[in-house]
Amino acid sequence: MGNIRLICTDVDGTLVLDDHKSIPEANMEALLGAQETGSKLALVSGRGIFSQKSFIKTLGLDRHKGYLVAFTGARIVEACGMRELYRMPIGMSDANALWAHVRPLGLDVMVYDDDRGVIFATADNEYTRFDQKVTGMSFEKTDRIDPSLGFTTFKCIIAGSPSALDGTIASVKEKFSEGFEITRSSGVFAEFNKKGVSKGNAMLMLAEEMGIDAGEILAVGNGENDASMLAAAGMSAAPADSMPEAKAAAKYVCRKGNGEGALAEAISYFNGMRPII
């Protein structure tokens, strides 16, 4: 597989179609072929481990000893056996402070019990139902986000209309940037991870564990939360319909968009280092 020793791909908007579960045939063939010829594969997603497990057998991650990187880099596990290599949770007291701040602003908060596959959210609305559909997790409404929930969360999401988030995200970042990494994963979601957590940092930690240099990594992603790994990898690509931050960080912007085999295009491009016709 040329000099690509590790492929790190985002899931939603990069690996799968807009139904958030189906993998285009071109992407499937490219990833299976890459693993057969020696490349390792890591799914690097904002999703938790629970909602990535369905891809393990489909993509051969168990047979080829691949990896799942979850919650934007806050957890890393081996796909075969689920051995945890890294974890960086958010304290529920910190999540409580975030919830208390955004509640008067009309924004909703979601936290995740990854072991049980449950989303806890302060509202039952189009945003929480969408996240439930994407992740395949069950849902419980809660009137507070605090340690009484009784589990460890690795990520908080605040959700609201694009105009509501646009109007408040700057002040939220100003107040919480010392303790959180804050990125927009879409127009309606902003993600909060423990300070220092990012897809880029997780990718480099995993590569070091494997004895792989950054120059031997291909990273592919479409969102603002992918920009750190796109910038850190020696080879990186963003689908044509990616967010501006992803395009700016990528070494190559695909001609194809999500659903058209952009991931396969990226693998082919860097494997041969030539334009895709």
Side-chain angles (χ1 to χ4, degrees), residues 73 76 86 196 198-210:
I76 305 174
Y86 174 78
S198 71
K199 289 188 177 185
N201 286 343
M203 178 188 73
L204 293 177
M205 280 190 286
L206 177 59
E208 183 177 5
E209 173 80 13
M210 301 170 69

Side-chain angles (χ1 to χ4, degrees), residues 88 125 134:
M88 183 59 73
N125 56 28
V134 170

Side-chain angles (χ1 to χ4, degrees), residues 33-107:
Q35 291 176 98
E36 290 291 344
T37 53
S39 295
K40 292 295 184 181
L41 174 61
L43 303 186
V44 185
S45 178
R47 299 189 189 198
I49 299 299
F50 179 90
S51 58
Q52 294 189 67
K53 287 181 179 179
S54 61
F55 299 115
I56 291 175
K57 291 194 177 298
T58 303
L59 290 171
L61 286 161
D62 49 351
R63 301 192 311 276
H64 296 291
K65 301 187 185 304
Y67 300 87
L68 304 178
V69 180
F71 294 122
T72 321
R75 291 189 80 181
I76 305 174
V77 303
E78 295 174 342
C80 182
M82 292 289 111
R83 183 170 75 96
E84 190 173 63
L85 303 179
Y86 174 78
R87 62 189 281 121
M88 183 59 73
I90 292 174
M92 272 297 186
S93 58
D94 292 330
N96 173 261
L98 175 63
W99 166 71
H101 180 77
V102 303
R103 181 176 54 168
L105 304 177
L107 299 172

Side-chain angles (χ1 to χ4, degrees), residues 10 13 28 37 41 62-63 70 73 85 88 93 100 107 111 115 138 140 142 146 178 182-183 198 225 233 242 270:
D10 175 43
M28 181 81 75
T37 53
L41 174 61
D62 49 351
R63 301 192 311 276
L85 303 179
M88 183 59 73
S93 58
L107 299 172
V111 293
D115 293 332
S138 59
E140 291 188 24
T142 179
D146 64 20
E178 288 189 7
I182 306 169
T183 55
S198 71
N225 63 356
S242 297
F270 283 103

Side-chain angles (χ1 to χ4, degrees), residues 160-255:
S161 68
S163 60
L165 276 182
D166 289 344
T168 59
I169 194 65
S171 65
V172 172
K173 283 185 174 182
E174 182 178 357
K175 182 173 179 63
F176 291 98
S177 60
E178 288 189 7
F180 288 104
E181 298 290 348
I182 306 169
T183 55
R184 290 284 285 272
S185 54
S186 74
V188 298
F189 293 129
E191 300 185 356
F192 291 72
N193 289 95
K194 191 76 170 178
K195 194 70 175 179
V197 168
S198 71
K199 289 188 177 185
N201 286 343
M203 178 188 73
L204 293 177
M205 280 190 286
L206 177 59
E208 183 177 5
E209 173 80 13
M210 301 170 69
I212 292 175
D213 185 78
E216 300 171 305
I217 304 171
L218 168 60
V220 188
N222 75 311
E224 179 186 337
N225 63 356
D226 296 306
S228 61
M229 73 171 181
L230 297 176
M235 297 167 277
S236 60
D241 51 357
S242 297
M243 294 177 71
E245 295 84 356
K247 290 182 177 181
K251 277 74 174 177
Y252 174 70
V253 176
C254 298
R255 299 182 181 185

